[in-house]
Amino acid sequence: MPPLLEVEHLTIEFRAQPAVRDLSFTIEKGEVLGLVGESGSGKSLTALAILRLLDGAARVNGTIRFDGRDLLALRSEQMRLHRGREIAMIFQEPMTALNPVMRIGRQIAEAIEAHQPDWSRQRVKEAVLEAMEAVAIGGAESRLNDYPHQFSGGQRQRILIAMALVNRPRLLIADEPTTALDVTVQDQILRLLQDLQQRFALGMLFISHDLAVVAQMADRVAVIRRGLLLESGSRDQIFLEPRHPYTRSLLAAAPTLATDRNLPLATVPPSGGGTKDASAAEAPGELREEAPGHWVREAAEA
Ligand SMILES: Nc1ncnc2c1ncn2[C@@H]1O[C@H](COP(=O)(O)OP(=O)(O)OP(=O)(O)O)[C@@H](O)[C@H]1O
Ligand SMILES: [Mg+2]
């Protein structure tokens, strides 16, 4: 059986400037891959490329296979059938992802109707209520006619999760799904995601700059910087035996997994614009499998 998602040699360029370089990874059915990297490393671009949501300014090369099918080769109508149905996404900005002037019940209903045009109003309504209950929105029936601003930030994020999962996708892309939330709410949302992921055996691409969150969610982890994969491996390989200096510096900047998560997180050190980095960007070292499933990029100068 092919992997659920197989990304090979993905390169994304803007005016011949590469933003993602030769990126390869797979996600098996029911597996969570954490994609970690500082701001601007190409995480969201990668997610958008999988869904083919990048605009014409982006030149995308490589292969992206979902369940063995080459997504980049599909006609746009075929792609539309996959998007939101087999592959769903929770976007980075929860506030902009909901329509502020449309009632919540209608928004969830439209997510269903886009893929189930034959369903009766009653059947759609039942699916909407079921989706709201699955993400623990209390008193779902009485809230169908409410607008997004009548919900808290955490509830809005739950609603987005409900909309993403309402068509029972097999792959969920979650792009920084909790960054905008305070720590307590963040924790509840992560637990909810984890619970749904297991219940539906969802494959998941979980994007975050927060290593503690990734450690909680991911089975495997890929670390990227400036669009380049630097290290990937199982959660234990990355967190207990990090090999690449950049991964180590990220871990040193983050609290240990046992640390109180309510403490403010150390920020990820920026890679800076030094000449050393720039030359490393031009001639990246080779990726090597240093232990089974544990890939590490050689330092360019080595
Ligand atoms: N339309 C565009 N034109 C030119 N460059 C772009 C465009 N979109 C993104 N980029 C560049 O690609 C790089 C990667 O962007 P991306 O949004 O994927 O970063 P990210 O890892 O998701 O960061 P963050 O953690 O801040 O969300 C950035 O340096 C960005 O400036
Ligand atoms: Mg992003």
Side-chain angles (χ1 to χ4, degrees):
M1 271 229 308
L4 185 64
L5 183 75
E6 192 174 19
V7 171
E8 275 183 342
H9 308 298
L10 177 67
T11 295
I12 305 171
E13 291 174 325
F14 293 97
R15 297 164 183 257
Q17 291 294 316
V20 171
R21 294 181 272 165
D22 196 22
L23 179 62
S24 301
F25 60 84
T26 58
I27 299 176
E28 300 292 336
K29 178 177 187 287
E31 183 182 52
V32 181
L33 176 71
L35 183 61
V36 196
E38 67 199 43
S39 187
S41 54
K43 306 182 297 294
S44 295
L45 286 179
T46 302
L48 295 171
I50 293 167
L51 286 168
R52 283 194 25 200
L53 288 174
L54 290 171
D55 63 34
R59 261 196 41 207
V60 180
N61 279 298
T63 7
I64 301 174
R65 281 191 214 93
F66 178 75
D67 211 12
R69 261 162 302 168
D70 183 357
L71 294 183
L72 296 181
L74 290 183
R75 290 206 311 276
S76 30
E77 316 89 73
Q78 293 173 308
M79 188 62 212
R80 222 170 295 133
L81 293 179
H82 282 78
R83 201 187 293 132
R85 181 166 186 175
E86 300 214 76
I87 309 175
M89 178 154 171
I90 304 171
F91 289 90
Q92 190 165 358
E93 276 107 37
M95 300 316 159
T96 55
L98 287 169
N99 181 342
V101 297
M102 196 191 283
R103 298 177 197 279
I104 284 298
R106 185 90 291 275
Q107 296 196 47
I108 303 175
E110 288 197 353
I112 300 169
E113 286 159 1
H115 295 285
Q116 306 292 355
D118 304 332
W119 283 17
S120 68
R121 281 182 78 93
Q122 187 55 31
R123 186 162 180 199
V124 170
K125 187 179 172 190
E126 279 161 19
V128 169
L129 289 173
E130 195 187 312
M132 287 172 81
E133 274 149 25
V135 296
I137 298 282
E141 180 120 39
S142 68
R143 305 223 56 183
L144 289 176
N145 289 327
D146 286 350
Y147 290 96
H149 73 267
Q150 293 169 283
F151 294 84
S152 70
Q155 284 175 322
R156 280 194 288 253
Q157 193 58 295
R158 286 170 191 273
I159 290 163
L160 287 173
I161 294 170
M163 283 169 71
L165 298 185
V166 77
N167 292 305
R168 297 274 190 273
R170 288 188 290 158
L171 178 68
L172 177 66
I173 301 175
D175 190 358
E176 305 267 10
T178 59
T179 306
L181 304 169
D182 71 52
V183 182
T184 326
V185 179
Q186 175 170 326
D187 216 59
Q188 293 164 1
I189 298 288
L190 291 175
R191 272 173 221 224
L192 171 69
L193 269 178
Q194 220 162 14
D195 174 53
L196 295 167
Q197 186 269 327
Q198 279 161 14
R199 186 147 28 123
F200 300 129
L202 270 175
M204 191 153 132
L205 178 62
F206 184 88
I207 297 176
S208 182
H209 63 277
D210 184 338
L211 284 169
V213 166
V214 171
Q216 181 180 342
M217 295 297 294
D219 301 309
R220 281 190 306 121
V221 179
V223 180
I224 62 170
R225 182 180 58 173
R226 298 180 164 198
L228 200 62
L229 182 75
L230 297 183
E231 181 163 4
S232 68
S234 70
R235 173 178 40 196
D236 284 357
Q237 285 169 335
I238 298 297
F239 286 98
L240 305 178
E241 304 163 52
R243 303 274 178 105
H244 196 283
Y246 180 68
T247 312
R248 290 184 180 168
S249 73
L250 285 182
L251 286 168
T256 64
L257 303 184
T259 314
D260 185 349
R261 295 255 320 273
N262 293 313
L263 293 172
L265 270 182
T267 47
V268 169
S271 53
T275 48
K276 193 173 152 199
D277 256 311
S279 61
E282 276 152 30
E286 293 283 305
L287 264 179
R288 289 219 175 153
E289 192 172 19
E290 296 204 353
H294 191 173
W295 293 82
V296 185
R297 192 172 295 279
E298 289 180 330
E301 50 273 82

